[in-house]
Amino acid sequence: LRLAVRVLVRTKSWTLIVLVSLALGIGANTALFTAVNGLLLQTVRVAEPERLIRFNWTGQNDMVRSSSDYGYSGSFGTRNVRSTFSFAIFEQLRAANTTLTDLAAGAPMGSLNVIVNGDAQLATGYEASGTYFQVLGVSAVLGRVFGEADDKPSATPVAVISYPYWKKRFAGEPSVIDRVVSINGQMVPIIGVTGPDFSGIQRLGTDPPDVTVPLSFDAVFSPPTPLPNARTAVPRMNQPTYWWLQLVGRLKPGASIDQARANFATVF
């Protein structure tokens, strides 16, 4: 080892070239593997993932006043592709559905302040319609996931946590079920823990959101601010021109993606 170090130190230029070549080679191989793995090898770890479809739109949209998008959406020719819709459009698409078992809507919530036993820590959040887990075919390994009965303003806010978050924040204790924690100032019971294989639908190969809550409580966990020249704040669930929800559906057995396109093109 001492001899090798002395040789490398005496030939600094050669050593630098070797190190740079190795770094570039390792970096390029890592980047290529990551791309191939994400595009060709990985998929959402749910039952029959090939039947899941993601909604996007492109072109002129005169129904948008404000919008949020999450990540790269791509382009179609010279036109941008967007992946978010308003809650009103989600309801219209769902009402017109004849080709999917159902539709689900959801959106990242950013960081949530979760207080457990007086200890406040930030957690990643996601909000989803009551059909979310049903459409994806995801169940809980502990407790239960929420459904449409939980996704109503008249219901009690509940939360489902991810397996990694359960292990990290609650030490994998089964007593976490029905435990009440503070989430952004709201007292919320934890009703379920998703499985270790489920990583959400935002980014393949990354950790799932720590906490998932029903969509109906968007204004509870993230209170809206008044619009310019408005006296009161209007929740974005009630703003048809606010486009912020990603939509996902599951094809019925025997239905094709082309049939789904034809079905929903009559609405939007």
Side-chain angles (χ1 to χ4, degrees), residues 17 27 29 31 41 51 56 60 66 87 103 134 138 151 155 162 164 174 191 211 230 245 254 268:
I17 291 173
N29 276 281
L41 304 180
R51 286 173 51 202
N56 293 276
Q60 183 65 30
S66 181
F87 183 73
L103 284 80
Q134 173 193 344
V138 172
D151 187 29
S162 70
I191 63 170
V211 180
L245 290 169
F268 175 68

Side-chain angles (χ1 to χ4, degrees), residues 105-109 112 114 124-130 132-133 146-147 150-151 156-161 181 183-184 186 188-191 209-222:
M109 300 178 70
L112 300 174
V114 181
T124 57
Y126 191 81
E127 54 188 340
S129 64
Y132 176 72
F133 292 107
F146 59 74
D150 301 295
D151 187 29
T156 301
V158 295
V160 173
I161 62 175
V181 299
I183 302 178
N184 280 12
Q186 304 296 319
V188 182
I190 297 172
I191 63 170
D210 296 326
V211 180
T212 303
V213 297
L215 185 62
S216 290
F217 301 99
D218 173 65
V220 173
F221 293 108
S222 304

Side-chain angles (χ1 to χ4, degrees), residues 42-246:
Q42 279 194 334
T43 186
V44 182
R45 293 183 179 179
V46 298
E48 299 181 281
E50 68 279 359
R51 286 173 51 202
L52 292 179
I53 62 170
R54 174 88 78 179
F55 283 68
N56 293 276
W57 60 268
T58 184
Q60 183 65 30
N61 186 348
D62 295 326
M63 293 186 285
V64 176
R65 176 193 56 80
S66 181
S67 68
S68 298
D69 215 326
Y70 316 99
Y72 177 71
S73 296
S75 61
F76 183 77
T78 58
R79 297 177 293 178
N80 289 332
V81 174
R82 301 287 289 182
S83 68
T84 54
F85 297 78
S86 68
F87 183 73
I89 289 291
F90 165 61
E91 291 185 310
Q92 291 296 318
L93 291 173
R94 195 178 178 207
N97 171 44
T98 60
T99 53
L100 308 178
T101 60
D102 212 334
L103 284 80
M109 300 178 70
S111 296
L112 300 174
N113 184 33
V114 181
I115 302 176
V116 180
N117 293 333
D119 177 30
Q121 294 184 23
L122 294 179
T124 57
Y126 191 81
E127 54 188 340
S129 64
T131 55
Y132 176 72
F133 292 107
Q134 173 193 344
V135 167
L136 294 182
V138 172
S139 57
V141 294
L142 189 67
R144 67 177 180 89
V145 295
F146 59 74
E148 291 192 79
D150 301 295
D151 187 29
K152 296 179 179 179
S154 59
T156 301
V158 295
V160 173
I161 62 175
S162 70
Y163 191 89
Y165 188 66
W166 175 48
K167 289 289 188 179
K168 177 180 65 176
R169 190 77 195 271
F170 300 95
E173 296 178 358
S175 60
V176 71
I177 300 303
D178 294 329
R179 185 169 182 176
V180 178
V181 299
S182 173
I183 302 178
N184 280 12
Q186 304 296 319
M187 303 308 293
V188 182
I190 297 172
I191 63 170
V193 179
T194 53
D197 291 336
F198 181 60
S199 60
I201 59 173
Q202 290 300 117
R203 299 285 185 275
L204 294 178
T206 61
D207 287 336
D210 296 326
V211 180
T212 303
V213 297
L215 185 62
S216 290
F217 301 99
D218 173 65
V220 173
F221 293 108
S222 304
T225 55
L227 297 173
N229 302 320
R231 294 183 178 180
T232 59
V234 179
R236 52 184 178 176
M237 294 268 291
N238 300 332
Q239 296 183 40
T241 57
Y242 196 141
W243 290 52
W244 56 289
L245 290 169
Q246 292 180 321

